[in-house]
């Protein structure tokens, strides 16, 4: 049957909605199942494990309240190769590395030299026209830094980022070369500029992506049921809008509907004669969603968050690039891990413990099926999480990872014994402590003695 087949492929099981009893809804479920089977057979999607924090395939609404034909296309809810990243994307974080003394600022606030985490990568840029044919600027410094990347340029398209360090240009090492010589080397080379660059994950804070949660009234346009219904809406950092019947359903039940906001049209609506109403017209399809907030301030909050999702910035923070690069490596190829070994992670939807081989590095916990598995199945971005030892069910010693806000997920891990748990707890706390919220980093910097402050 469908459920057992899905469990074999280690995807999330389908929970049949109690309202899906009529034939049209059963047809929709059959259609969804056929799409799932076709997707699996064509190998466009690969399982990343049964864990709730691994890559989760989410379907569109099967039981749409408007009783309309709904696109049941599949997409990856956790886009970063199965990583749970919501807390990282919800705020600005800065990396301060191993030196966590309060007297020292993160690199984004201080020029004091310190060890950094750098990942090398190759960037190839096609030469354009004009005075700046590649579309970027470099700084008169050692090492040579990229200080500007033109919008819509070949450099931006190739993935070059502000803060990248030039290591080699057209096969020649430039780490000890004067800025002018490196520039001439590029100008005299072929039309395809090939550079090896390094990314410093501690130089800049990440930019928060839009997330928003709260109750809204949604207009129902069904021929049978008309009016406004109160629903719990969740705008994820990946630009998808989910909604549930109740707040408590988030994380426990699949959403009633999922809508992609990128490219959508949003704005205030006065045609219905009701205050605090705004509408959303997704790019795909001809459907119009009408929402009603409880106040003008609440409406503006949603419009601002949705506008960012409509016009997303497709550029990862350097640290995200580093973690995605690490997922392609075998577990023991990740340099200088802070902790490694077997951990069991609780899948609360099934009440089972799933074993992973885990690597901890710079605030990221990577999950592998075995010691020799590649790539990583998924993992967890740890910024802001609080680590403690708890008892849970029959297990007397469990590692609890609690988020700073209840809107994010709590995770439970368990090592082979109590001593191993303590070893992991110590390492997790130290790894999380490498990251600071930007506002706290600024406050710490301002509170330093005046004679140490440099402007």
């Amino acid at each position: 049957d469908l459920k057992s087949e899905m469990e074999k492929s280690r995807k999330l099981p389908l929970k049949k909605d109690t309202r899906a009893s009529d034939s049209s809804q059963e047809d929709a479920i059959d259609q969804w199942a056929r799409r799932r089977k076709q997707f699996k057979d064509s190998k466009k999607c690969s399982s990343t494990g049964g864990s709730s924090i691994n890559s989760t395939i989410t379907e569109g609404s099967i039981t749409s309240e408007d009783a309309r034909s709904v696109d049941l296309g599949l997409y990856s809810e956790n886009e970063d190769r199965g990583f749970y990243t919501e807390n990282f994307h919800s705020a600005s974080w800065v990396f301060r590395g191993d030196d966590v003394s309060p007297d020292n600022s993160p690199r984004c606030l201080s020029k004091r030299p310190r060890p950094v985490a750098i990942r090398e990568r190759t960037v190839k840029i096609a030469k354009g026209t004009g005075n700046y044919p590649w579309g970027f600027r470099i700084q008169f410094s050692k090492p040579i830094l990229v200080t500007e990347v033109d919008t819509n340029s070949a450099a931006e398209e190739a993935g070059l980022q502000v803060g990248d360090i030039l290591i080699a240009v057209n096969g020649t090492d430039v780490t000890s070369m004067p800025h002018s010589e490196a520039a001439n080397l590029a100008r005299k080379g072929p039309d395809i500029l090939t550079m090896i660059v390094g990314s410093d994950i501690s130089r800049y804070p990440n930019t928060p992506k839009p997330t928003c949660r709260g109750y809204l009234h949604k207009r129902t346009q069904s021929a049978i049921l008309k009016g406004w219904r109160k629903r719990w809406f969740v705008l994820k950092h990946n630009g998808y809008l989910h909604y549930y019947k109740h707040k408590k359903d988030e994380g426990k039940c699949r959403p009633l509907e999922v809508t992609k906001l990128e490219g959508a049209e949003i704005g205030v609506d006065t045609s219905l004669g009701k205050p605090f109403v705004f509408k959303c017209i997704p790019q795909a399809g001809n459907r119009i969603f009408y929402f009603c907030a409880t106040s003008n301030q609440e409406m503006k909050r949603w419009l601002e968050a949705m506008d960012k999702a409509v016009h997303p910035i497709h550029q990862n923070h350097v640290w995200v690039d580093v973690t995605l690069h690490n997922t392609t490596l075998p577990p023991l190829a990740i340099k200088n891990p802070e902790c490694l070994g077997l951990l069991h992670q609780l899948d609360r939807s099934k009440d089972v413990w799933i074993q992973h081989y885990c690597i901890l590095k710079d605030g990221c916990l990577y999950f592998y099926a075995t010691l020799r598995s590649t790539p990583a199945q998924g993992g967890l971005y740890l910024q802001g999480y609080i680590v403690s030892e708890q008892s849970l069910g029959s297990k007397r010693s469990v590692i609890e990872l609690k988020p700073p806000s209840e809107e994010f997920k709590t995770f439970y891990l368990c090592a082979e014994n109590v001593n191993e748990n303590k070893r992991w707890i110590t390492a997790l706390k130290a790894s999380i402590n490498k990251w600071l919220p930007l506002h706290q980093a600024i406050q710490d910097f301002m509170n330093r003695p005046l004679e140490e402050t440099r402007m």
Side-chain angles (χ1 to χ4, degrees), residues 240-349:
Y240 283 85
L241 183 67
H242 302 231
Y243 77 86
Y244 305 83
K245 191 172 183 179
H246 303 291
K247 178 180 178 180
K248 64 181 181 180
D249 295 338
E250 183 187 351
K252 297 180 180 178
C253 305
R254 60 183 179 83
L256 297 173
E257 192 156 354
V258 179
T259 303
K260 183 180 180 180
L261 293 188
E262 183 176 354
E265 178 185 339
I266 61 169
V268 178
D269 184 87
T270 57
S271 64
L272 302 178
K274 189 177 176 69
F276 318 133
V277 172
F278 57 102
K279 65 182 178 182
C280 173
I281 307 175
Q283 194 174 40
N286 56 1
R287 188 174 176 188
I288 302 177
F289 291 91
Y290 292 94
F291 307 107
C292 182
T294 55
S295 66
N296 190 53
Q297 182 179 0
E298 183 72 358
M299 180 180 70
K300 286 183 177 179
R301 182 175 76 94
W302 275 100
L303 286 174
E304 288 176 3
M306 292 174 74
D307 183 66
K308 292 179 181 177
V310 169
H311 306 98
I313 300 174
H314 294 290
Q315 189 172 14
N316 281 339
H317 182 252
V318 173
W319 184 73
V320 176
D321 287 338
V322 171
T323 59
L324 291 179
H325 171 73
N326 286 343
T327 64
T328 66
L329 303 174
L332 299 183
I334 297 179
K335 296 179 180 179
N336 304 317
E338 293 147 21
C339 199
L340 51 84
L342 292 175
L343 282 176
H344 293 80
Q345 183 259 329
L346 177 62
D347 183 348
R348 305 190 76 175
S349 64

Side-chain angles (χ1 to χ4, degrees), residues 29 58 127 138 200 223 278 301 303-304 322 327 336 349 384 394 407 436 446:
I29 294 175
T58 304
K127 187 176 183 179
I138 53 179
D200 177 358
F278 57 102
R301 182 175 76 94
L303 286 174
E304 288 176 3
V322 171
T327 64
N336 304 317
S349 64
S394 60
E407 67 191 53
L436 278 180
M446 298 301 293

Side-chain angles (χ1 to χ4, degrees), residues 114-302:
R114 64 196 308 133
V116 296
I118 294 179
R119 177 175 69 86
E120 297 180 8
R121 69 187 193 280
T122 300
V123 175
K124 295 185 177 183
I125 309 174
K127 187 176 183 179
T129 58
N131 295 329
Y132 306 104
W134 291 289
F136 69 97
R137 312 286 189 277
I138 53 179
Q139 188 180 58
F140 292 85
S141 63
K142 286 187 181 181
I144 301 170
L145 291 178
V146 176
T147 56
E148 184 178 350
V149 178
D150 296 343
T151 304
N152 299 323
S153 66
E156 183 183 63
E157 186 176 343
L160 192 68
Q161 296 182 348
V162 173
D164 280 343
I165 301 166
L166 265 61
I167 297 172
V169 174
N170 292 332
T172 301
D173 188 303
V174 297
T175 53
S176 58
M177 186 180 292
H179 164 273
S180 56
E181 290 185 24
N184 288 332
L185 192 64
R187 294 191 187 101
K188 294 177 181 178
D191 288 345
I192 300 296
L193 175 62
T194 302
M195 301 187 299
I196 297 176
V197 299
S199 301
D200 177 358
I201 69 174
S202 64
R203 185 164 292 279
Y204 298 106
N206 66 304
T207 302
K209 295 184 179 180
T211 55
C212 201
R213 284 171 167 82
Y215 278 107
L216 291 171
H217 284 83
K218 172 183 168 294
R219 189 186 185 204
T220 303
Q221 299 171 322
S222 167
I224 302 174
L225 300 171
K226 294 185 178 180
W228 296 84
R229 289 190 173 186
K230 187 178 181 181
R231 293 290 180 254
W232 177 255
F233 283 84
V234 178
L235 175 58
K236 300 270 189 174
H237 69 265
N238 59 8
Y240 283 85
L241 183 67
H242 302 231
Y243 77 86
Y244 305 83
K245 191 172 183 179
H246 303 291
K247 178 180 178 180
K248 64 181 181 180
D249 295 338
E250 183 187 351
K252 297 180 180 178
C253 305
R254 60 183 179 83
L256 297 173
E257 192 156 354
V258 179
T259 303
K260 183 180 180 180
L261 293 188
E262 183 176 354
E265 178 185 339
I266 61 169
V268 178
D269 184 87
T270 57
S271 64
L272 302 178
K274 189 177 176 69
F276 318 133
V277 172
F278 57 102
K279 65 182 178 182
C280 173
I281 307 175
Q283 194 174 40
N286 56 1
R287 188 174 176 188
I288 302 177
F289 291 91
Y290 292 94
F291 307 107
C292 182
T294 55
S295 66
N296 190 53
Q297 182 179 0
E298 183 72 358
M299 180 180 70
K300 286 183 177 179
R301 182 175 76 94
W302 275 100

